[in-house]
Amino acid sequence: MNLEQEKKEQKSMMLALILVIGVLLVFNRFFAPKEPTTVPADVAVTETVTQPLPVETPIATPEAKRIPGKSIPVRNDFVQGTFDTAGTKITSLSLLQYRETTDKDSPFVSLLNDGFWTQLFWQGDAGVFPDMMSGPSVEGEALTPFSPVKLTWQTDQVVVERVVSMDDAYLVTVTDTITNRGTTPVTAALHGQIVRQADTVTVNRSSVHQGFLGYFDNREVEEDYDDITADEGFATDNTGGWIGITDKYWQAVFVPDQAQKARMTFERQGDAYMASFVGHPDTIAAGAGLTRTTRLFAGAKELSLINAYEKEGIPRFDLSIDFGWYYFLTKPFLYFLGFLYSLVGNMGIAILIFATLLRIALLPIATKSYESMAKMKKIQPKIKALQERYKDNKQQLQMEMMALYKRDKVNPASGCLPLLIQIPVFFALYKVLSVSILMRQAPFFGWITDLSVPDPSSVLTAFGYLPWPIPGFLNIGVWPVLMGLTMFIQQRLNPSPTTDENQKIMMNLMPVIFTFMLGNFAAGLVIYWTWSNILSIAQQKYVMRKVGV
């Protein structure tokens, strides 16, 4: 190895350090949880948004005065709420399995409400087709898994019969039967709208998508709220698929009739965001009829339920959970973590078991890496001796070092390459711990009552006894400090740079940087990382003894 090669090695090392710092900055910018910010509304809040999307056939609303709808209660073991029979508008829906905070008396999570609702209606030829935004005749007092509700709208020529039913979880099914009793054809199109007022939107900067979501043309489409404006939206003609609006843990999604063509649209109208579909206009001949079935999912993104609904004909519904780039790893990891949780009943313990089993699975890769680093650490005194002896002859120094590597069978690069294989695993696991609803409000032990939020303890304020103001990014808890200590110990076991003091300084700062960076990460991820470091230290100590360091 000559002087030129040495310079190349040092340059490569510096590039690697720059890459690490870059990754840290990217994580801190895009993945670390931030304070939620409210998306501002352009105009004052209006009562509702009922304007239909444009279609290719004349669609009109009768001029007659509308009849008020009737409020129907909705209830099963998972949800409770109400829907208005006019427009079949779900005006409220609370999730009975989830509360707003960890307080046992906290209100249930409100998914649909005055600022976030769904509605489903047909529009057809003016004066001929019924106005479905008016109240229909109603059969049924409540919507439950055991009692559907039948709604009927009619004119002299057209009768629309709608049966609204629900399962025992989060799926509502709407079956429409339209009958043309007249002597001339009638045309109508089905409209489904999920509407969210802009002032109810909170956006958390994280790795989990929140906003518009759909599956069209055999691909998933995601759009952030900020990407959809009054002047620029999204629209596509599609057969089948689904469309909706998603938060981190919940979503509202319309699933049109999978055999029918529809225009899927993301748009902003005034102060409201809308995810809509408009069915291809149907022409119903005189004396004929048609039937259409539309489904609505409104609830929590629980993997087992999502998969069950996918098997019932909602294509690729699992993509509504943001598995990220490493889908092939993330989804199995989420399955397995859920399985462990079902066994032990504590999400924190499940994470520790998962980390242990993952460490065992990666044992051969990690062992090879640690063996290489141990050998490098073992020969460091010899390297330092050579540096002292040949400090004025860099070319001879490199030749002697190459001979040393060859004699002791050491490859300086082999300690890093196996670690690259583990990068996708880390990112996939990070995603799992970010998207899993099992993490939400899941307690561990002691002061960790919610694994999905940062450690609430505050080391630098002596846990609140020193009330001095500290910037948020400096306000770290016990678990991030423990993670930093384990990282520091692990770093002491590795061979340190022998030629560049700047590299030594940077490496020594890494545990401190990671401590403060992870201070704002979910406690579950920090606990995983800390335990993984402890396992790595134990494995590395064993390998070092084996090698003779």
Side-chain angles (χ1 to χ4, degrees):
M1 184 181 291
N2 53 32
L3 183 59
E4 178 109 3
Q5 289 173 315
E6 179 189 13
K7 290 181 179 179
K8 286 183 178 180
E9 278 194 356
Q10 292 182 354
K11 185 177 180 181
S12 298
M13 177 63 75
M14 290 306 297
L15 287 174
L17 288 172
I18 293 171
L19 178 62
V20 169
I21 295 172
V23 169
L24 295 179
L25 293 175
V26 169
F27 258 69
N28 196 43
R29 171 65 178 84
F30 295 104
F31 298 107
K34 306 291 184 182
E35 290 296 321
T37 57
T38 301
V39 178
D42 289 341
V43 295
V45 177
T46 56
E47 181 180 354
T48 185
V49 175
T50 59
Q51 295 89 344
L53 299 177
V55 293
E56 298 174 357
T57 188
I59 300 294
T61 300
E63 297 295 333
K65 184 178 180 181
R66 284 175 170 163
I67 302 171
K70 179 181 179 181
S71 183
I72 301 293
V74 177
R75 176 76 191 225
N76 65 19
D77 290 339
F78 283 68
V79 298
Q80 69 177 9
T82 57
F83 80 88
D84 189 335
T85 58
T88 317
K89 177 182 176 182
I90 300 183
T91 53
S92 70
L93 195 73
S94 297
L95 309 183
L96 303 182
Q97 307 293 316
Y98 302 95
R99 294 187 180 274
E100 293 287 353
T101 70
T102 54
D103 187 341
K104 65 179 182 179
D105 296 323
S106 172
F108 294 115
V109 168
S110 174
L111 175 59
L112 301 179
N113 45 57
D114 289 339
F116 188 12
W117 68 87
T118 71
Q119 57 189 15
L120 184 69
F121 55 94
W122 290 81
Q123 283 195 322
D125 299 326
V128 176
F129 202 87
D131 177 12
M132 294 185 67
M133 302 306 292
S134 284
S137 61
V138 181
E139 296 179 27
E141 297 299 322
L143 177 60
T144 74
F146 311 103
S147 60
V149 174
K150 184 178 180 181
L151 312 175
T152 304
W153 294 264
Q154 60 183 324
T155 63
D156 292 340
Q157 182 173 345
V158 178
V159 177
V160 180
E161 295 179 313
R162 167 169 289 177
V163 177
V164 184
S165 60
M166 70 184 307
D167 69 357
D168 56 2
Y170 300 124
L171 197 68
V172 175
T173 301
V174 178
T175 303
D176 292 323
T177 301
I178 302 176
T179 304
N180 182 359
R181 301 183 298 188
T183 58
T184 58
V186 65
T187 300
L190 179 62
H191 293 237
Q193 297 176 342
I194 299 172
V195 184
R196 187 165 198 176
Q197 299 288 359
D199 62 355
T200 70
V201 172
T202 55
V203 178
N204 294 288
R205 291 178 180 174
S206 72
S207 63
V208 182
H209 172 68
Q210 299 172 74
F212 296 98
L213 181 68
Y215 184 75
F216 323 121
D217 303 318
N218 297 316
R219 65 187 180 96
E220 182 186 27
V221 177
E222 296 178 345
E223 294 287 350
D224 294 337
Y225 290 109
D226 292 343
D227 295 333
I228 302 299
T229 66
D231 298 323
E232 185 174 354
F234 170 89
T236 184
D237 292 322
N238 181 70
T239 300
W242 42 268
I243 187 169
I245 293 178
T246 183
D247 285 337
K248 183 175 183 178
Y249 296 121
W250 352 98
Q251 63 185 354
V253 171
F254 266 126
V255 186
D257 192 310
Q258 295 299 289
Q260 302 302 310
K261 187 175 182 179
R263 167 154 289 195
M264 307 289 200
T265 306
F266 301 145
E267 61 179 328
R268 179 161 180 167
Q269 291 190 3
D271 69 324
Y273 296 103
M274 298 175 61
S276 310
F277 77 88
V278 178
H280 184 76
D282 287 293
T283 299
I284 308 164
L290 66 78
T291 299
R292 294 282 183 268
T293 299
T294 308
R295 289 173 288 180
L296 170 68
F297 176 95
K301 296 194 283 188
E302 300 172 14
L303 181 58
S304 59
L305 281 173
I306 295 291
N307 283 331
Y309 291 136
E310 182 173 342
K311 292 177 181 178
E312 293 178 9
I314 305 179
R316 296 309 308 272
F317 200 39
D318 63 332
L319 294 179
S320 64
I321 299 176
D322 186 6
F323 288 114
W325 293 347
Y326 298 107
Y327 171 94
F328 63 97
L329 289 175
T330 310
K331 187 174 181 180
F333 283 0
L334 187 53
Y335 264 126
F336 191 57
L337 193 62
F339 170 73
L340 293 175
Y341 175 66
S342 69
L343 293 180
V344 299
N346 183 295
M347 194 60 188
I349 296 296
I351 290 173
L352 299 183
I353 295 173
F354 185 92
T356 304
L357 296 176
L358 187 61
R359 176 62 54 181
I360 292 172
L362 297 175
L363 195 62
I365 296 175
T367 298
K368 183 177 180 181
S369 175
Y370 294 149
E371 285 178 349
S372 177
M373 288 189 288
K375 289 178 181 178
M376 281 295 297
K377 192 173 184 70
K378 185 175 182 179
I379 66 172
Q380 276 198 316
K382 296 180 182 179
I383 293 175
K384 289 182 179 180
L386 290 175
Q387 289 172 339
E388 286 295 321
R389 184 181 304 174
Y390 299 106
K391 60 183 177 180
D392 297 325
N393 189 340
K394 296 294 184 181
Q395 186 173 358
Q396 184 64 33
L397 172 61
Q398 296 305 319
M399 292 177 61
E400 293 294 334
M401 288 178 62
M402 288 296 292
L404 176 63
Y405 294 153
K406 185 176 181 180
R407 185 169 57 253
D408 286 65
K409 300 179 180 180
V410 174
N411 183 351
S414 64
C416 299
L417 293 178
L419 296 178
L420 296 178
I421 302 175
Q422 300 182 59
I423 291 178
V425 174
F426 169 77
F427 277 98
L429 187 60
Y430 171 81
K431 197 71 171 180
V432 166
L433 298 180
S434 298
V435 305
S436 176
I437 198 169
L438 297 175
M439 289 275 289
R440 184 182 184 272
Q441 297 182 1
F444 185 42
F445 294 111
W447 64 95
I448 303 297
T449 59
D450 186 349
L451 288 166
S452 68
V453 300
D455 185 337
S457 60
S458 179
V459 173
L460 297 183
T461 63
F463 310 107
Y465 288 102
L466 300 176
W468 52 45
I470 292 181
F473 73 96
L474 291 177
N475 197 11
I476 59 173
V478 173
W479 276 102
V481 171
L482 292 176
M483 188 284 305
L485 289 175
T486 58
M487 190 174 180
F488 176 80
I489 295 170
Q490 190 176 17
Q491 192 180 74
R492 296 302 93 187
L493 300 177
N494 297 334
S496 60
T498 57
T499 59
D500 194 324
E501 289 299 322
N502 290 330
Q503 292 179 20
K504 291 181 181 180
I505 293 173
M506 287 300 301
M507 296 304 293
N508 289 334
L509 285 175
M510 293 307 289
V512 178
I513 294 172
F514 269 83
T515 295
F516 286 100
M517 185 188 74
L518 290 183
N520 290 317
F521 275 55
L525 182 65
V526 180
I527 290 170
Y528 162 80
W529 201 325
T530 304
W531 180 242
S532 183
N533 283 350
I534 292 172
L535 296 176
S536 296
I537 291 169
Q539 183 182 359
Q540 194 166 356
K541 293 277 288 182
Y542 170 78
V543 171
M544 290 174 68
R545 288 197 192 98
K546 180 181 176 182
V547 173
V549 177

